[in-house]
C-alpha cells in the first residue's frame, strides 16, 4: 500500500515538473540569414517568424505518412534529401495506392526566394503550397479534418504545437505555418559555385568550369537568372507535346491562350542530382537536356522568343560548349545541403 502511494506521489511530482517546464518554456527564434550572393527574400518572415520548435514541428509533419489516406505517403516520400528533395529516377511522382501523377517531382530548395510554386504556378504562397499535394487524390489523398484530429490525439504533436504556437489551437493554419518554417530553412547556398561567388575557401573553379560559366551567362542566364538560377517566370521551352498527357501547363491556372504549354523555369541548383528533367521527366541526362536546346526545340505559337532567332530554333551549342556547360552545372551541387541533418528524417 505504501509503495502504491509512493508511486502515485512520484508520478504526480514528475507530471507537475513536466507541465511546469512546458509552461515556462519560451520558444527560441531562429535568425534566418540570407546568403550574401542571393537576391531578396520573397517570403515574409514577420508573418510567420521561424522558431526552433516551429521548425521541429514542420519537420515532423513533413515526414509523417499519417497525413495521407494510406498512412504511408509523406511529403518526404517524393522529396528525398540526397536527391535535393526530388523523387530521383521517377519520371512522374508516385502516391497512394501506387498512383502515378503526370508531372515530375520538383526539388525543394530556396523556396523562400520564390513567388510562385508548382510547374504551373498553382499557388503563390509557400504556406499554402502543401495543400496541393496533401489533398491531391493521386499523391497523398489526405483529409485536413482527419489530419487535425490525428494531431490532437497524438501526445507528441500536442506537446510540439503547444511549444511552437503557445495558446493557439492545433489546426490546419498552424500546421501549414510549421511546414512553411521548415521549408524556409531549406536553403541550398554552399555549393562550390557559391563559395566561388563569395570568394570563400573551397571556391576554386577549374578553367573548364569557368569557361562553362561564361557560356552559361551568354546563352542560359536570361531565364536561369541570378544565383538562384531561375527568374520564376513561365515559359514554353519548345518541348514536343506528350499526346498521352497533353499537359497545358500555366494555361490550366490562368486559362489565357498565351500561357498554353508554359511551365515554370526551374532552378538549376543541385541539377546533377535531380534527374530526370523537364516537367514530365522525359529527359534523363544533362547531355540530353542540352541536345534538346541545341537541336530539339519545336516551334509553336507560345514558344519563348529567346528560342526563335529569325526562324532558327533553339540555342546553338557545340559539343565542346556542352561539355563545359555540364562541368559548370556540376559546381552547383551543394553536398552540405544534401546531407544536412537538420533536414533529415532520422
Amino acid at each position: 500500500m505504501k509503495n502504491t502511494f509512493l508511486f502515485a506521489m512520484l508520478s504526480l511530482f514528475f507530471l507537475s515538473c513536466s507541465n511546469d517546464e512546458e509552461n515556462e518554456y519560451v520558444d527560441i527564434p531562429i535568425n534566418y540569414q540570407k546568403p550574401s550572393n542571393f537576391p531578396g527574400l520573397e517570403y515574409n518572415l514577420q508573418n510567420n517568424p521561424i522558431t526552433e520548435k516551429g521548425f521541429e514541428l514542420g519537420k515532423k509533419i513533413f515526414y509523417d505518412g499519417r497525413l495521407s489516406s494510406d498512412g504511408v505517403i509523406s511529403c518526404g516520400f517524393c522529396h528525398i534529401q540526397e536527391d535535393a528533395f526530388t523523387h530521383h529516377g521517377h519520371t512522374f511522382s508516385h502516391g497512394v495506392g501506387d498512383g502515378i501523377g503526370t508531372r515530375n517531382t520538383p526539388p525543394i530548395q530556396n523556396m523562400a526566394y520564390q513567388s510562385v510554386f508548382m510547374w504551373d504556378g498553382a499557388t503563390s504562397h509557400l504556406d499554402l503550397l502543401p495543400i496541393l499535394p496533401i489533398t491531391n487524390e493521386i499523391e497523398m489523398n489526405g483529409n485536413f479534418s482527419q489530419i487535425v484530429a490525428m494531431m490532437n490525439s497524438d501526445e507528441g504533436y500536442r506537446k510540439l504545437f503547444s511549444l511552437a504556437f503557445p495558446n493557439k489551437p492545433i489546426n490546419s493554419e498552424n500546421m501549414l505555418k510549421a511546414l512553411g518554417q521548415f521549408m524556409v530553412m531549406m536553403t541550398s547556398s554552399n555549393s562550390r559555385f557559391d563559395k566561388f561567388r563569395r570568394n570563400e575557401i573551397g571556391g576554386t573553379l577549374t578553367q573548364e568550369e569557368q569557361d562553362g560559366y561564361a557560356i552559361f551567362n551568354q546563352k542560359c542566364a536570361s531565364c536561369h537568372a541570378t544565383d538562384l538560377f531561375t527568374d520564376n517566370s513561365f515559359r514554353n521551352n519548345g518541348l514536343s507535346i506528350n499526346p498521352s498527357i497533353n499537359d497545358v501547363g500555366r494555361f490550366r491556372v490562368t486559362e489565357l491562350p498565351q500561357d498554353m504549354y508554359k511551365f515554370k523555369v526551374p532552378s538549376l541548383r543541385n541539377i546533377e542530382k535531380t534527374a530526370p528533367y523537364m516537367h514530365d521527366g522525359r529527359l534523363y541526362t544533362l547531355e540530353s537536356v542540352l541536345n534538346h536546346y541545341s537541336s530539339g526545340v519545336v516551334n509553336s505559337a507560345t514558344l519563348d522568343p529567346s528560342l526563335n532567332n529569325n526562324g532558327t530554333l533553339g540555342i546553338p551549342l557545340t559539343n565542346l560548349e556542352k561539355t563545359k556547360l555540364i562541368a559548370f552545372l556540376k559546381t552547383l551541387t551543394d553536398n552540405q545541403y544534401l546531407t544536412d541533418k537538420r533536414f533529415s528524417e532520422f
Side-chain angles (χ1 to χ4, degrees):
M1 191 68 179
K2 289 182 179 179
N3 289 338
T4 302
F5 176 76
L6 179 61
F7 177 78
M9 292 300 293
L10 287 172
S11 298
L12 287 172
F13 172 77
F14 286 119
L15 180 61
S16 174
C17 288
S18 176
N19 288 337
D20 287 344
E21 288 175 4
E22 288 186 29
N23 291 334
E24 293 175 2
Y25 179 85
V26 177
D27 202 3
I28 301 171
I30 294 177
N31 182 23
Y32 180 85
Q33 295 293 322
K34 180 184 80 68
S36 61
N37 58 315
F38 276 23
L41 283 163
E42 292 285 345
Y43 191 86
N44 189 335
L45 290 172
Q46 292 183 339
N47 289 341
N48 186 22
I50 306 172
T51 64
E52 288 188 356
K53 292 302 178 181
F55 172 83
E56 183 181 340
L57 175 60
K59 176 179 173 178
K60 178 179 176 66
I61 297 169
F62 184 85
Y63 286 109
D64 195 340
R66 291 177 293 174
L67 271 64
S68 64
S69 60
D70 65 359
V72 174
I73 305 298
S74 66
C75 302
F77 179 86
C78 285
H79 296 283
I80 301 167
Q81 182 179 12
E82 64 188 29
D83 305 314
F85 292 96
T86 62
H87 209 183
H88 176 69
H90 293 270
T91 300
F92 301 129
S93 58
H94 291 220
V96 296
D98 293 324
I100 300 177
T102 59
R103 289 178 177 169
N104 183 250
T105 302
I108 299 178
Q109 56 193 4
N110 304 331
M111 306 290 274
Y113 299 89
Q114 300 180 37
S115 54
V116 283
F117 305 93
M118 312 298 276
W119 283 108
D120 56 11
T123 183
S124 58
H125 198 296
L126 183 58
D127 292 354
L128 302 181
L129 170 61
I131 295 174
L132 299 175
I134 289 173
T135 59
N136 185 285
E137 293 180 357
I138 295 176
E139 295 183 53
M140 296 175 71
N141 193 36
N143 179 291
F144 270 91
S145 296
Q146 294 174 4
I147 293 169
V148 169
M150 176 272 290
M151 291 178 172
N152 273 290
S153 65
D154 183 284
E155 181 180 354
Y157 271 122
R158 289 200 302 270
K159 180 177 180 179
L160 265 179
F161 267 98
S162 69
L163 297 175
F165 300 101
N167 303 314
K168 293 183 179 179
I170 299 176
N171 58 19
S172 57
E173 177 186 356
N174 292 325
M175 166 192 161
L176 292 170
K177 282 185 173 181
L179 279 169
Q181 291 185 39
F182 180 65
M183 289 188 288
V184 165
M185 289 296 294
M186 298 169 80
T187 302
S188 178
S189 62
N190 285 298
S191 67
R192 191 152 50 91
F193 169 78
D194 291 300
K195 294 173 184 177
F196 166 78
R197 288 281 287 157
R198 298 192 296 254
N199 296 312
E200 295 174 355
I201 295 173
T204 302
L205 300 188
T206 67
Q207 188 60 55
E208 182 182 47
E209 292 163 348
Q210 291 186 50
D211 291 346
Y213 185 33
I215 296 166
F216 178 87
N217 284 328
Q218 179 186 1
K219 299 190 176 186
C220 312
S222 60
C223 298
H224 297 286
T226 76
D227 283 2
L228 296 176
F229 294 92
T230 176
D231 63 356
N232 287 311
S233 67
F234 297 87
R235 299 173 186 257
N236 178 343
N237 67 344
L239 291 171
S240 59
I241 298 170
N242 184 335
S244 64
I245 300 172
N246 193 28
D247 191 335
V248 295
R250 181 68 170 158
F251 176 82
R252 194 167 76 176
V253 175
T254 67
E255 296 186 349
L256 297 173
Q258 61 265 36
D259 286 334
M260 187 72 76
Y261 302 118
K262 290 184 178 180
F263 295 88
K264 187 181 177 187
V265 175
S267 171
L268 301 181
R269 285 186 164 272
N270 297 302
I271 194 73
E272 178 186 10
K273 302 293 185 179
T274 62
Y277 307 108
M278 305 300 179
H279 68 274
D280 57 3
R282 70 174 69 185
L283 302 177
Y284 271 78
T285 66
L286 291 173
E287 288 81 1
S288 61
V289 171
L290 295 182
N291 288 340
H292 161 73
Y293 283 113
S294 65
S295 60
V297 169
V298 175
N299 199 6
S300 68
T302 60
L303 177 67
D304 195 80
S306 65
L307 297 175
N308 188 347
N309 184 16
N310 296 321
T312 301
L313 301 180
I315 302 171
L317 291 167
T318 67
N319 288 335
L320 181 59
E321 286 176 323
K322 292 175 186 177
T323 298
K324 290 181 175 182
L325 272 173
I326 290 172
F328 164 68
L329 291 173
K330 289 183 178 180
T331 71
L332 304 182
T333 301
D334 182 355
N335 289 308
Q336 179 177 323
Y337 178 68
L338 303 178
T339 59
D340 194 326
K341 291 296 184 183
R342 293 177 301 166
F343 310 130
S344 303
E345 181 174 8
F346 304 110

